[in-house]
């Protein structure tokens, strides 16, 4: 489990963590840019693990799903502004067009 998985992180913690892991988080920055450019109001991450990618989207309607109940419980503690659910990626529990932007990062290799 990642070093930030067990605690609620501050913006400064996040900045320092992403600087140390620049390559790993570059795509999340690109996703954030796309979400802003499209003026999205809602975001869903499929396979969110402990929710670290969703930090960027504070202020939007943010949702994350993951198959791991353990990961979702940690995510709920760290990011109370996000709606988390334990769900399978293969069968999303939402109606079509429920979100302006849906993404996944590093999940497809597990399916």
């Amino acid at each position: 489990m990642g070093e930030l998985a067990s605690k609620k992180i501050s913006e400064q913690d996040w900045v320092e963590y992403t600087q140390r892991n620049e390559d790993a988080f570059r795509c999340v920055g690109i996703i954030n840019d796309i979400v802003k450019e499209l003026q999205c109001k809602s975001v869903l991450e499929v396979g969110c693990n402990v929710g670290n990618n969703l930090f960027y989207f504070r202020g939007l309607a943010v949702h994350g799903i993951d198959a791991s109940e353990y990961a979702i419980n940690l995510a709920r503690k760290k990011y109370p502004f996000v709606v988390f659910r334990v769900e399978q990626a293969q069968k999303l529990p939402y109606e079509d067009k429920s979100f302006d932007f849906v993404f996944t990062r590093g999940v497809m290799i597990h399916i």
Side-chain angles (χ1 to χ4, degrees):
M1 190 170 311
E3 65 186 277
L4 297 179
S6 63
K7 65 177 183 174
K8 187 173 180 178
I9 65 170
S10 69
E11 186 170 353
Q12 183 61 36
D13 288 336
W14 180 253
V15 168
E16 290 172 7
Y17 183 75
T18 56
Q19 286 172 346
R20 289 192 313 270
N21 298 281
E22 184 177 343
D23 290 336
F25 290 95
R26 186 168 295 148
C27 73
V28 178
I30 293 168
I31 292 168
N32 186 44
D33 291 345
I34 293 167
V35 166
K36 285 180 181 177
E37 180 70 25
L38 295 175
Q39 299 179 351
C40 297
K41 305 265 189 278
S42 59
V43 173
L44 168 66
E45 182 179 9
V46 177
C48 65
N49 195 350
V50 296
N52 289 341
N53 294 329
L54 298 170
F55 179 84
Y56 276 102
F57 307 109
R58 184 182 294 269
L60 304 178
V62 186
H63 295 251
I65 67 165
D66 199 276
S68 169
E69 185 174 358
Y70 180 77
I72 290 296
N73 286 335
L74 288 174
R76 286 178 176 141
K77 291 175 186 171
K78 290 172 50 179
Y79 304 108
F81 66 93
V82 177
V83 176
F84 290 105
R85 290 175 63 167
V86 178
E87 300 288 349
Q88 298 294 318
Q90 297 91 328
K91 186 170 169 114
L92 297 178
Y94 305 102
E95 297 291 325
D96 289 350
K97 300 182 182 181
S98 293
F99 301 95
D100 295 331
F101 195 84
V102 177
F103 74 98
T104 188
R105 186 175 160 268
V107 172
M108 298 307 290
I109 62 169
H110 301 290
I111 295 177

